[in-house]
Amino acid sequence: MVDRAQGRKKSQFTQQNTVLANSYMDYFVNGTNYKISYDNFVSGLGVTGTIVQDGAVTGTPILDTDGTINNIRNLEDGSGIVTNVSAENGVTIAHNISYDTTGAPLFLNTTATSPVIASIVAGNGIAVASTDNYVTISQVGVAEYANVTMHGNSTETVIASTATAVKVAGTFVVGDESGYTGDTTGKITHDGDTARHIINAIVSMTVASGTNHTVSMYIALNGTIVNTTKTTTTTSSGLYRSLATFANLELDDGDYVEIFVRNESTTDNIIVLDAIIGAL
């Protein structure tokens, strides 16, 4: 038998804050009365269970409960962070850091799940110190050396005044160097902190004309001869004499050393055939 609605009215409901066990609900469709258990009704609506926060209470909640309304917050990009919807309709949270490609990178594997920030390792003559939020890279104990040489030179060093030392004339070849900068005029310039250095020099020279000339050589610092480096010999035109000297000098950054020569006897020019000056 099919029950049919006859326009009857239900009334005198008892107020209840919860749904009692084994409760039923009734409804009608096209004039026919039906009933359904409350459990099946809720299941049919797909609203079984509850939505609650989970995880650490100090975290940032995705669920925003506002009375009877449960809001699900959007994820927003932050500093160095980017969010996206994936092809599988999930949400991805990734790092978003730009980096320069010049030189050796510190930020490695930029597309990896867990990118690596490289550490800095001190190489030979380098010290690395990490203090607070910065890294200091400094030079320590680096060997400093340089030499410039000249061989087979025929350019005369002009002697304008007797007993006045002048810089050796000719074209030098710059050798290996570290902590110094040499040039083809025979100058070696110190690049670095103030320190004491050994300077060595040797020449083979003669005079352009005349006989029995007394000639001398010096090491010069910043264009001024160092008197204690003087060495002397006697020569005549075509007779080459070798002289050597050294100096223990304190050099500041930018100080330079050179070889100077002097004719003690006349203003006849000097020819320095070979010359070497080195710094350690």
Side-chain angles (χ1 to χ4, degrees):
M1 180 181 72
V2 177
D3 293 331
R4 302 236 176 228
Q6 301 297 325
R8 294 185 180 90
K9 180 176 68 173
K10 297 186 292 184
S11 61
Q12 297 182 352
F13 290 96
T14 301
Q15 183 174 343
Q16 188 73 28
N17 293 328
T18 60
V19 177
L20 300 177
N22 302 318
S23 295
Y24 283 82
M25 302 181 67
D26 61 74
Y27 63 97
F28 70 93
V29 178
N30 296 326
T32 301
N33 293 328
Y34 295 93
K35 72 175 181 178
I36 184 173
S37 70
Y38 177 76
D39 291 340
N40 287 338
F41 174 72
V42 171
S43 178
L45 292 179
V47 294
T48 58
T50 57
I51 300 176
V52 296
Q53 300 284 359
D54 197 8
V57 295
T58 56
T60 301
I62 300 300
L63 178 65
D64 176 23
T65 301
D66 184 10
T68 59
I69 300 175
N70 292 319
N71 298 302
I72 298 177
R73 291 186 170 97
N74 286 334
L75 298 178
E76 298 180 356
D77 297 346
S79 178
I81 299 296
V82 62
T83 59
N84 287 293
V85 176
S86 70
E88 292 77 17
N89 205 33
V91 176
T92 62
I93 303 175
H95 58 81
N96 185 28
I97 301 174
S98 61
Y99 58 95
D100 190 84
T101 57
T102 304
L106 293 178
F107 193 55
L108 309 177
N109 309 65
T110 55
T111 60
T113 302
S114 180
V116 175
I117 299 177
S119 59
I120 300 174
V121 178
N124 184 34
I126 298 296
V128 177
S130 179
T131 306
D132 297 328
N133 60 348
Y134 60 88
V135 176
T136 301
I137 301 175
S138 57
Q139 184 181 38
V140 293
V142 177
E144 295 183 321
Y145 51 85
N147 69 83
V148 292
T149 60
M150 180 173 66
H151 299 290
N153 174 60
S154 60
T155 301
E156 296 182 8
T157 300
V158 176
I159 305 298
S161 176
T162 301
T164 299
V166 293
K167 180 179 176 178
V168 168
T171 301
F172 286 74
V173 175
V174 178
D176 294 336
E177 55 188 25
S178 174
Y180 293 92
T181 301
D183 68 21
T184 57
T185 71
K187 177 193 293 185
I188 296 177
T189 302
H190 179 235
D191 304 319
D193 297 333
T194 300
R196 189 160 289 277
H197 297 268
I198 301 296
I199 312 300
N200 295 285
I202 185 170
V203 299
S204 175
M205 64 180 179
T206 186
V207 288
S209 60
T211 59
N212 297 321
H213 290 284
T214 300
V215 292
S216 303
M217 73 167 293
Y218 300 84
I219 291 172
L221 173 61
N222 298 331
T224 301
I225 60 173
V226 179
N227 287 311
T228 56
T229 64
K230 178 181 178 181
T231 56
T232 302
T233 188
T234 300
T235 187
S236 299
S237 178
L239 178 62
Y240 288 92
R241 297 290 193 183
S242 294
L243 292 174
T245 188
F246 82 99
N248 187 343
L249 302 176
E250 185 174 275
L251 300 180
D252 296 328
D253 183 39
D255 283 350
Y256 60 92
V257 292
E258 300 163 300
I259 300 174
F260 275 43
V261 293
R262 180 164 79 177
N263 190 333
E264 310 280 356
S265 303
T266 69
T267 57
D268 289 335
N269 293 342
I270 294 175
I271 301 173
V272 176
L273 180 69
D274 301 312
I276 300 173
I277 182 170
L280 295 172

